[in-house]
Amino acid sequence: MRWSIVFASILIIAVCSGGSPKDLAPQPGEIRTSHHYLLSGMSIVRYELGHIYVPENRNRPNSRLIAVRYMRIKGEDQPGTPPVFMLPGGPGDSYIEAFTKSGLDWFGAVRQRNDVLRFRRAGDVVVMDQRGASGPSGRLSFNHNPDGQPLDRPAVLADELEAAPSVVRRALARYPDHDLAGYTVIQCAEDLDDLRQALGYTKVNLFGLSYGSQWSFAVMRLHPGTVSRALLSGVEPLDNSYDMPSHVWAALMRVAAEAEADPRLRASLPQGGLRQAIDEILAHLEKDAVSVRLQSGEQIVLGPEDFRLSLLARPSEWPARIIDIHRGRYEAWAEEVAATRRPLKESSSALIGPLIDTSLNVSEIRGRHLEDDPAVQYLGTWGFVPAMAAAPLWPTPDVGDALRLPEESPIPVVFLHGDWDTSTPIENSREIQPYFPNSRLVVVRRGGHGAIYDLADQNPDALDQLLDYLRTGDMTDLPTEIVIALPKFDTPLP
């Protein structure tokens, strides 16, 4: 093994604290930092790890201060270029955790660290956590399934709706000393602007993935004069917190079209392909639920809503799963469903997720389109009805259509989107792009939700082109389409 590969993942040392003395009470907008070094390839990378102190709820006078974590890394000698603010998804994800892990977890996070370090090509990199998901001491969590669901009858949406008040009540009771009304995308955008000012930047460039793109849209709307340009991937506009079922279904059918050309799968499909198989499975389950014995010896009863909840899976796994269920091979599916119905012992879900999502909600017109969408027959309404029904129970205020609905912006934006993305379908980018006349849509054929990381693996030159755009603002030579390799589809059970 080459020593450079081993050393590439070794943290050298952390030195020198910055900012105000730690025994003094922090002030709004104050940052406190320490500096660290790691070996990347054959070079030593210095990075700054710190916190900025911001009001928990800017809408209330004398709000207490909370700490939001950030990290700054010097770019590859690009003087005068605005820094890239990297905004993670979720809500609740973090890029910084890859740099703060220890032991074997540190070595396991080498891929995530390299994903961040690659952005140094575009200039200085500032990575920011979300409030409420900022380091172990600042992460708010809740248990989204404390009581579980019975195994002896199929899933029904009514059970989810009935359980919601108890789930919300327990979640809020965990943090009686927090002003949870302050955990919104608007407050996140203000956190970023406070950090921008504290670090002395006039302008910034933005990279946002998934919720990070929503965060970016909020910054561009609330502080447009501070953003030079943006690169957004897995795009989620502010009015698109809940996916349109027909757009998700379209992504699944694009996967199906390629899977059906695989001779290992084609022989096991009915004449109408995966769509016919899904139709027949739903028709069968609507007529008669199925009972399956689990490895534990218990019985579980599965119905059409269980199948709808199980439709989304990795593109490489999804076709074989449909074929197995269509042929009556229920065992693997039953074990997966049973795991989701059992009570959770730990509160592992990021609380900022429902706080932000229910505050964003959707406009009235999008809500009507969701309910009337024809693909509800395949995917059901699980993706939006429970969250919309629970929105009044959470303390975060509705952001309103003035922020949610798009308006034209001159800020240059490149939208990078995989056409196999079932988490934030590519139609999101196609809908929002006309509002950004200085923009380019780059379609990654066969790319999923993390299409930008698919490029890092399969087409690093294309990713470097995107980073060069962030550095220079020049998008003229960017491709409109990038094709990545077809994954090897799983084989159905014999």
Side-chain angles (χ1 to χ4, degrees), residues 130-183:
Q130 301 147 15
R131 55 172 45 217
S134 197
S137 63
R139 181 177 175 84
L140 309 182
S141 61
F142 79 110
N143 191 331
H144 73 271
N145 189 25
D147 298 319
Q149 295 83 39
L151 298 179
D152 60 358
R153 56 188 173 87
V156 291
L157 187 63
D159 287 347
E160 182 91 356
L161 299 177
E162 184 179 349
S166 174
V167 171
V168 175
R169 186 169 57 251
R170 295 189 209 185
L172 302 182
R174 287 174 58 86
Y175 301 101
D177 58 336
H178 285 63
D179 187 351
L180 295 177
Y183 291 78

Side-chain angles (χ1 to χ4, degrees), residues 88-93 130 209-212 236 353 357:
D93 293 345
Q130 301 147 15
L209 170 64
S210 194
Y211 169 69
E236 192 171 12
D357 287 346

Side-chain angles (χ1 to χ4, degrees), residues 82-129:
V84 180
F85 272 59
M86 292 187 69
L87 308 181
D93 293 345
S94 172
Y95 293 125
I96 298 175
E97 287 181 359
F99 290 78
T100 59
K101 292 179 182 293
S102 60
L104 293 177
D105 290 339
W106 164 263
F107 292 95
V110 63
R111 163 66 188 271
Q112 291 87 341
R113 285 193 296 277
N114 287 339
D115 288 339
V116 172
L117 294 175
R118 185 183 291 271
F119 274 77
R120 293 178 298 159
R121 182 184 181 99
D124 291 351
V125 177
V126 179
V127 186
M128 194 172 186
D129 273 346

Side-chain angles (χ1 to χ4, degrees), residues 10-25:
I10 297 178
L11 178 66
I12 305 300
I13 193 168
V15 298
C16 70
S17 295
S20 301
K22 293 184 178 180
D23 56 345
L24 296 180

Side-chain angles (χ1 to χ4, degrees), residues 20 30 48 57 74 78 145 194 213 237 247 264 269 276 311 363 410 418 462 464 484:
S20 301
E30 179 185 326
E48 171 187 324
N57 188 345
K74 183 175 175 55
Q78 308 294 346
N145 189 25
D194 284 353
S213 69
H247 297 166
R264 297 176 304 120
L269 285 167
Q276 182 181 335
L311 265 178
S363 63
D464 285 344
I484 62 174

Side-chain angles (χ1 to χ4, degrees), residues 205-468:
N205 296 329
L206 299 175
F207 167 70
L209 170 64
S210 194
Y211 169 69
S213 69
Q214 280 192 316
W215 191 354
S216 300
F217 284 123
V219 172
M220 290 189 284
R221 177 66 67 84
L222 298 173
H223 299 283
T226 68
V227 180
S228 289
R229 50 193 167 270
L231 169 63
L232 305 180
S233 183
V235 177
E236 192 171 12
L238 290 165
D239 197 25
N240 292 45
S241 290
Y242 310 134
D243 297 321
M244 200 65 64
S246 58
H247 297 166
V248 177
W249 180 250
L252 288 174
M253 291 298 98
R254 285 189 285 272
V255 176
E258 300 233 38
E260 288 163 2
D262 187 324
R264 297 176 304 120
L265 301 177
R266 187 171 58 242
S268 301
L269 285 167
Q271 184 175 2
L274 284 161
R275 182 166 185 163
Q276 182 181 335
I278 292 170
D279 285 335
E280 291 177 359
I281 292 168
L282 283 170
H284 174 71
L285 293 173
E286 293 281 3
K287 182 179 179 182
D288 294 302
V290 299
S291 180
V292 182
R293 181 174 293 278
L294 300 170
Q295 292 178 359
S296 64
E298 301 167 287
Q299 293 285 129
I300 185 171
V301 180
L302 304 169
E305 296 304 318
D306 293 297
F307 180 68
R308 291 185 172 102
L309 281 168
S310 300
L311 265 178
L312 302 184
R314 291 178 183 272
S316 59
E317 301 170 357
W318 178 74
R321 167 185 286 188
I322 300 302
I323 291 170
D324 287 339
I325 296 173
H326 183 253
R327 297 165 71 187
R329 306 295 181 85
Y330 300 127
E331 290 77 13
W333 175 43
E335 295 290 345
E336 291 177 8
V337 174
T340 66
R341 290 201 204 168
R342 299 189 192 283
L344 292 176
K345 297 180 180 179
E346 298 182 359
S347 298
S348 57
S349 299
L351 182 56
I352 195 173
L355 290 174
I356 284 182
D357 287 346
T358 57
S359 173
L360 274 164
N361 212 328
V362 291
S363 63
E364 182 180 351
I365 187 169
R366 184 170 176 88
R368 290 199 301 269
H369 288 161
L370 285 165
E371 293 174 357
D372 296 338
D373 190 275
V376 162
Q377 65 175 309
Y378 292 111
L379 297 171
T381 58
W382 296 87
F384 55 93
V385 164
M388 292 172 70
L393 304 176
W394 295 100
T396 41
D398 188 279
V399 300
D401 285 354
L403 180 69
R404 264 191 301 258
L405 296 177
E407 63 179 25
E408 189 168 298
S409 170
I411 298 172
V413 179
V414 169
F415 300 101
L416 179 75
H417 220 130
D419 68 350
W420 283 13
D421 187 343
T422 58
S423 296
T424 53
I426 195 171
E427 286 79 4
N428 287 357
S429 284
R430 291 183 170 136
E431 288 176 357
I432 198 69
Q433 189 192 6
Y435 294 93
F436 291 86
N438 299 315
S439 67
R440 173 74 63 91
L441 171 60
V442 179
V443 178
V444 181
R445 298 294 180 193
R446 303 170 180 153
H449 190 50
I452 192 164
Y453 303 125
D454 294 333
L455 294 185
D457 289 335
Q458 299 191 34
N459 196 334
D461 290 342
L463 179 53
D464 285 344
Q465 283 185 280
L466 293 164
L467 297 179
D468 287 342

